[in-house]
Amino acid sequence: MSEFDLIIRGGTVATASDVFRADIGITGGKIVQIGERLGGGAEVVAADGKFVLPGGIDSHVHFSQPSGPGIVMADDFESGTRSALFGGNTTVMPFCLQQKGVPLRESLNAYHALAEGNCYTDVSFHLILSDASESILGQDLPALVADGYSSLKVFMTYEGLRLSDGEIIRTLDVARSTGATVMVHCENEDAIRFLIARHEAAGDVAPRAHASTRPVAVEREATHRALTLAEIADVPVVIVHVSNGAAIEEIARARTRGVKVIGETCPQYLMLTADDLDGMNWEGAKFVCSPPPRDKNEQIACWRGIETGIFDLYSSDHCPFRYDDVHGKLNPRGRASFRHIPNGIPGVETRLPILFSEGVVKGRIDLPRFVALTSTNHAKTYGLYPQKGTITVGADADLAIWDPTVTRRIRHADLHDGADYTPYEGMDVTGWPTTVVLGGRVMIRDGELVGHKGDGAYRPASIRRSAASPASMEKQGQ
Ligand code: DUC
Ligand code: ZN
Ligand code: ZN
């Protein structure tokens, strides 16, 4: 009998803290040995000249999420996790939207039914809390946190979804007592409504107006308010999809006051601008997401946040709608006004290659920082560490083997999601994950899918282990 089920041989291994040459021995889905010249593998994957990284964890994706009357999300769990896998991810964290009047547990059961047997990656859920009533905060939520649903997102915008400041602070208080982690979407809904009315009255209804009605100021103000509420509740908070320098400054200032804040940004804020919403023939609809892409200066500010450590998390916010589709971006109401274009863009498959190419290959960040931003910090923030997010004995054997020399032009025709476009069409990247291993099983070998739907499984998340950010958890060896 072989000593190992699988050996990854000869690669350069990187974690969030180290880069070293080693073989990795895997048995029973776990990493059991890391060393030199390991022998006795039932299966061997040669990784000479390649980087062996923890599989990506994309902790901000939306699959099969109800998105308004007549609108259908382009990805379900099958297409969404397949696309994620091809992009070097082994775990994704979609959102379970609480439908008003429906018990959270019932909403979760429906998402489990959609995921069960359909996933190519492992999956763990966040909740979206749209009803912060006393009974939900007092009973339902604490019970769910204890059961492995330990993170939830609250919105300061969107009709029917946004919570009041009072509801947010009471939610943060429950997070404090239960160890849950709260993610906040920071945009000022009343200011947005005012601006939408003004633009529509002026007949300015094209996609570009989406960016004009959600300016930096609405995000900056809401970010400040969310951080202030977290400060008063005395609990860590995650500020998701940060798009600009002013919001980054709010995060930095809050940290100097002692607020434990984890910041997330996304590829769209590093690579796109509001000018992309200007496309002819309503093509700008392809880039409508919230917060919207900004300008070159805000891109630079976000890159600085990636480089300097302001951001702990880099996620896709994959929220795919087909473009040329009456159930997607070009739905009849969306053709009449930007206000009805569904918010969100695809990106789960391109997230890692974009940061690898623009970040690591161009020398903005090193490999350990890439691993921290794309995998380790996600596992630490959302209760999946150290089973996930690192390469160590005892961890799940979730690995992405990168060819750092391969060059590719991103084309939607080569991607695996259910949308009909990518916002990054024509972008040239260097480096791509060519082999992906999930729980010791080779899922993609040299770019070919060899794993199966259903090989990915649901993974419950534990509660926050520390009140600290991922970086300070690293120092404590957690
Ligand atoms: N904004 C969100 O808040 N969620 C999904 C997509 C988007 O654009
Ligand atoms: Zn959001
Ligand atoms: Zn989102």
Side-chain angles (χ1 to χ4, degrees), residues 180-295:
T181 298
V182 177
M183 313 156 79
V184 190
H185 179 131
C186 300
E187 289 184 293
N188 181 317
E189 175 69 8
D190 290 333
I192 292 166
R193 281 190 201 184
F194 168 80
L195 290 170
I196 287 175
R198 190 198 255 177
H199 278 257
E200 286 198 327
D204 181 10
V205 291
R208 172 67 186 231
H210 174 77
S212 315
T213 54
R214 293 173 173 267
V216 164
V218 308
E219 184 182 343
R220 185 197 62 221
E221 183 280 329
T223 303
H224 177 78
R225 191 156 32 102
L227 290 168
T228 303
L229 297 175
E231 182 178 351
I232 292 165
D234 190 21
V235 68
V237 69
V238 182
I239 305 296
V240 291
H241 44 51
V242 175
S243 73
N244 66 83
I248 289 171
E249 277 170 24
E250 292 297 339
I251 291 172
R253 290 220 315 258
R255 282 188 180 146
T256 65
R257 298 195 300 273
V259 184
K260 306 286 194 309
V261 46
I262 292 161
E264 177 201 73
T265 194
C266 312
Q268 47 270 39
Y269 308 119
L270 302 174
M271 303 309 300
L272 304 177
T273 70
D275 290 346
D276 290 309
L277 279 80
D278 264 337
M280 299 288 283
N281 302 325
W282 231 250
E283 291 246 351
K286 291 180 175 174
F287 303 88
V288 166
C289 61
S290 294
R294 309 292 183 184
D295 62 21

Side-chain angles (χ1 to χ4, degrees), residues 17 48 85 95 111 114 166 194 198 229 234 251 273 289 301 308 356 378 420 423 427 441 444 470 477:
S17 51
D48 308 78
L85 186 75
F95 291 86
Y111 275 86
L114 291 171
F194 168 80
R198 190 198 255 177
L229 297 175
D234 190 21
I251 291 172
T273 70
C289 61
T308 59
F356 189 89
H378 300 252
D420 56 353
M427 181 182 164
R441 184 175 295 152
I444 293 179

Side-chain angles (χ1 to χ4, degrees), residues 60-62 65 95 128 153 155 185 240-241 264 290 316-319:
H60 191 152
V61 302
H62 303 263
Q65 193 173 302
F95 291 86
I128 290 177
K153 183 176 177 189
F155 286 79
H185 179 131
V240 291
H241 44 51
E264 177 201 73
S290 294
S316 68
D317 197 3
H318 178 81
C319 186

Side-chain angles (χ1 to χ4, degrees), residues 18 21 54 68 124 126 158 160 173 185 201 209 218 235 280 285 293 305 347 383 398 457:
D18 298 299
R21 286 288 298 273
S124 194
H126 307 292
Y158 295 136
D173 192 41
H185 179 131
V218 308
V235 68
M280 299 288 283
D398 293 352

